[in-house]
Amino acid sequence: MKAGLVSVSFRSNTPFEIIGAAARSGLSAIEWGSDVHAHCGNSEKLKEIALLQKNAGLECSSYSTYFRIGVTPIGELPLYLTAAEILGTGVLRVWCGDKPSSEYSYDERMKIFEAARCAAETAKAAGMTLCTEFHHHTFTDEALAVKELLEAVDLPSLKTYWQPNQYRTAEENLLTAQILAPFTENVHVFAWHRENRFPLSHDKAYWSKYFSELKAAHFALLEFMPDDNIESLAAESEALRELIR
C-alpha cells in the first residue's frame, strides 16, 4: 500500500503548491479532484498537472469525480474517463445515488444496479475501474448495501473505496472494513469524530486495526488535515507512512 493525498484537502491551493507539498512530505501519489483542480473538460490543465506530478516523482493514484451513478447522465462518463487517462490513472472515484440505501424501494434498487452495471461496462471498455465512495447519504452508505451492489453488477471494473464513518464507533467501522476489504481499491484516511478533526496520530490504534483488514488496497490517501492547513501535511504524511509500514 502506498501513501498519498486527496487534492480536495486543499481546495484553496494550486496544483503546483499541492504537488510541491506532497513531494516534500514523502508521499507517492495524489488523487486529483474534478471539482476544483482537475476539471474533466480542461485537457490542457490536465496535461499540465500530469507533467508537474511526473517531474516531482509522483503518480496519480485516482481521479476523484462527482459523477453520480443513477443521477448523472451516463453520456458524461466518457469525459471523466478521458480526463483520468490524461492524468495517468485507470481508477475513478464516483458517487452512487442521492439518498441513503434504506430509503430505496425494490424498484429503485434495481434501477441503481442497472445504472451501475452500465457505468461499469463503459469503464471496462475503456480499461478503467470505477470505485464508489463509501459515504453517508448515498446508496453506498452501508457495507452490506455496497456488497449487494457490487455482487449484483459482478464486474471487476466496479469496486469501492473505504473510509471510517465519523458518526460510528471504531468497532462498527472495523466491521465495515472487514466486510468490504475484498472489494476495496483505495482508502481515504483521516481522524474525524463527528464534527471534530484530529491529527492522524490521535487515531493510531484505530487505523492500525483498519489497515490490518485492508491489506489488499493499493493507496492510502490522506483526506483533509486536522486544521485545513497545507503546512500540516508533513506531519500527517509521516504518521500515515508509519501506520502502513
Side-chain angles (χ1 to χ4, degrees), residues 76-121:
E76 295 184 19
L77 183 55
L79 293 173
Y80 291 102
L81 296 172
T82 298
E85 183 177 14
I86 295 172
L87 289 169
T89 182
V91 175
L92 296 86
R93 187 214 65 174
V94 298
W95 296 72
C96 186
D98 55 4
K99 61 183 179 180
S101 57
S102 61
E103 296 182 11
Y104 279 77
S105 66
Y106 175 81
D107 288 344
E108 288 175 324
R109 293 176 95 82
M110 295 303 103
K111 287 179 181 178
I112 208 80
F113 293 168
E114 181 56 35
R117 187 176 298 108
C118 183
E121 288 173 345

